Amino acid sequence: MSAPYFVCQAADLVPLLGNTPNATAAADYLCNSFSTITYAVDNTYLLFSAYLVFAMQLGFAMLCAGSVRAKNTMNIMLTNVLDAAAGGLSYYLFGFAFAFGAPSNGFIGRHFFGLKHVPEANSGGTFDYSFFLFQWAFAIAAAGITSGSIAERTQFVAYLIYSSFLTGFVYPIVSHWFWSVDGWASASRVDNLLFGSGVIDFAGSGVVHMVGGVAGLWGALIEGPRLGRFAKEGRSLALRGHSASLVVLGTFLLWFGWYGFNPGSFLTITKPYGNPGGLFGQWNGVGRTAVTTTLAGCTAALTTLFGKRLLVGHWNVLDVCNGLLGGFAAITSGCSVVEPWAAIICGFVASWVLIGLNKLAEKVKFDDPLEATQLHGGCGAWGLIFTGLFARKKYVYEIYGGSPDRPHGLFMGGGGKLLAAQIIQILVIFGWVTATMGPLFYGLKVLKLLRISDEDEMAGMDLTRHGGFAYVYHDEDDPSQKPSPIPLRRVGSTNSTPSRVV
């Protein structure tokens, strides 16, 4: 993420005002007024971006609902509401402080618990309520990713526990490492940069998507596959989601929200590049980031469309939607520092990463109803590597500052230091999430708080846990659906001669 910046100095204005007795006072007034307006514009931009990112929760809810069987619709939508609600309190009490509580050490923040002393400006930056809201929207996105991996078989209490822990502790620590100015691997540090570069994960291919994906990996592995997902002889059986319409609706909502997720991560929009008064500034970076995001997603969608057509022989809208989202997850790391043509490469490779990981998951009998681990974890990791290969020197310097010769993409003539930092990020995120979420899910399993009973899973959690179905719908390929034991009779006039129904 980019950092706030702007300074208006009265000493620069005094000569322009003619060095009159009131020049200094006038210059101070103009600078104060200008700074206030600039801050208001940037704050409004950040709030608008936060609203877009939060709207992605609706996209997650629709995508999840369409991807599960009808008998679990209420359950999965309730978990999406829970991610936002439980995540809001845990991030307010602890998460924001652990992530951005500067000044602090390289591992964990230690200020702003319960938003105490917010708003505040210090050596770590400017911390206002809008910044908290924006970061909270990111935190609950990570929790939403994990909920998809363990859908259709997880106890409700397990969602409460893991969501609060992930958004209140696990995710904030990672975001502190890579996004806080004090983080040990942050590209925004003023000194002691990792490999002289720090990690460039602009909007969170690693911080958000890999964290959610790896957490989902361990949750799904420890729980095991859904009943009926794999036959005894090892054959894979499709447990199809019940609504392609909801999947497409959710995908478009996520696409829309991604324009807050990636461009919004600049945090400000009024910063000029070069001399003030020029035509180029942060507003250009915001536009370029929206373009790279779009091109990566579109390329991944088309690649998946034709790739799956060659592999399985038909056009599948669900695969295309997941491919599109995989492209978005991958470009999220380098969206601000790569050229549009490079984003096309990112999306193309992301599509094949997702297709390959789905094949691998099927072979090892790994069951993730939304392909969240493969999509967010796998494509997120590729996005970090991609940034280490294609980050452009000019854009890196404009956004992160520091030395004009700081490391950039390997294929762009910047050497391998940035790529090495990106690989370090992949390894430490996998290790950290494994060390925290793995034991949590295992402990829940030991305490019998993780998975529902076989009977409840077959009947569906809407009926057994939530008081009834979201709507009347028959999952035709669901082996748990039995023929109705109630005999059906013809409804009609009793005076007419009965006719046999064929």
Side-chain angles (χ1 to χ4, degrees), residues 60-69 73 76 240-247 318 471:
F60 278 126
M62 295 298 99
L63 180 70
C64 290
S67 299
V68 301
R69 290 163 290 179
T73 305
I76 195 66
R240 297 183 181 88
H242 79 280
S243 175
S245 300
L246 288 177
V247 171
L318 304 181
Y471 37 71

Side-chain angles (χ1 to χ4, degrees), residues 114-190:
L115 294 185
K116 187 177 181 180
H117 302 308
V118 172
E120 178 178 293
N122 59 35
S123 60
T126 301
F127 301 92
D128 207 340
Y129 296 110
S130 56
F131 184 66
F132 164 80
L133 194 73
F134 185 72
Q135 296 300 338
W136 161 71
F138 272 65
I140 60 177
I145 292 167
T146 305
S147 68
S149 296
I150 56 178
E152 298 202 281
R153 60 205 190 272
T154 305
Q155 290 192 47
F156 191 67
V157 67
Y159 282 110
L160 276 171
I161 294 171
Y162 101 78
S163 181
S164 299
F165 184 61
L166 184 66
T167 55
F169 183 69
V170 178
Y171 167 83
I173 300 300
V174 177
S175 57
H176 180 82
W177 292 348
F178 303 112
W179 284 347
S180 171
V181 294
D182 296 324
W184 63 270
S186 173
S188 300
R189 286 179 66 99
V190 295

Side-chain angles (χ1 to χ4, degrees), residues 36-228:
T36 299
I37 294 172
T38 299
Y39 184 76
V41 171
D42 287 337
N43 217 40
T44 302
Y45 173 73
L46 185 58
L47 277 173
F48 180 73
S49 298
Y51 303 151
L52 285 177
V53 177
F54 179 69
M56 295 176 78
Q57 290 300 119
L58 177 58
F60 278 126
M62 295 298 99
L63 180 70
C64 290
S67 299
V68 301
R69 290 163 290 179
K71 63 182 181 179
N72 295 311
T73 305
M74 287 180 63
N75 174 262
I76 195 66
M77 292 213 285
L78 182 57
T79 61
N80 276 271
V81 175
L82 176 66
D83 287 335
L89 288 178
S90 60
Y91 200 72
Y92 162 76
L93 293 172
F94 311 108
F96 184 73
F98 289 150
F100 297 101
S104 61
N105 55 55
F107 178 76
I108 189 172
R110 57 190 182 193
H111 299 284
F112 308 137
F113 291 98
L115 294 185
K116 187 177 181 180
H117 302 308
V118 172
E120 178 178 293
N122 59 35
S123 60
T126 301
F127 301 92
D128 207 340
Y129 296 110
S130 56
F131 184 66
F132 164 80
L133 194 73
F134 185 72
Q135 296 300 338
W136 161 71
F138 272 65
I140 60 177
I145 292 167
T146 305
S147 68
S149 296
I150 56 178
E152 298 202 281
R153 60 205 190 272
T154 305
Q155 290 192 47
F156 191 67
V157 67
Y159 282 110
L160 276 171
I161 294 171
Y162 101 78
S163 181
S164 299
F165 184 61
L166 184 66
T167 55
F169 183 69
V170 178
Y171 167 83
I173 300 300
V174 177
S175 57
H176 180 82
W177 292 348
F178 303 112
W179 284 347
S180 171
V181 294
D182 296 324
W184 63 270
S186 173
S188 300
R189 286 179 66 99
V190 295
D191 57 10
N192 298 321
L193 287 167
L194 179 65
F195 299 129
S197 129
V199 169
I200 295 180
D201 188 8
F202 185 72
S205 288
V207 174
V208 178
H209 295 283
M210 268 200 72
V211 167
V214 175
L217 168 69
W218 288 109
L221 280 176
I222 291 170
E223 269 196 304
R226 292 166 292 171
L227 296 177

Side-chain angles (χ1 to χ4, degrees), residues 253-288:
L253 286 169
L254 288 170
W255 188 341
F256 180 66
W258 234 292
Y259 292 127
F261 204 93
N262 286 3
S265 291
F266 279 94
L267 307 182
T268 63
I269 195 171
T270 58
K271 174 183 175 181
Y273 294 155
N275 296 324
L279 296 177
F280 299 100
Q282 200 105 291
W283 48 91
N284 299 107
V286 168
R288 182 180 65 250

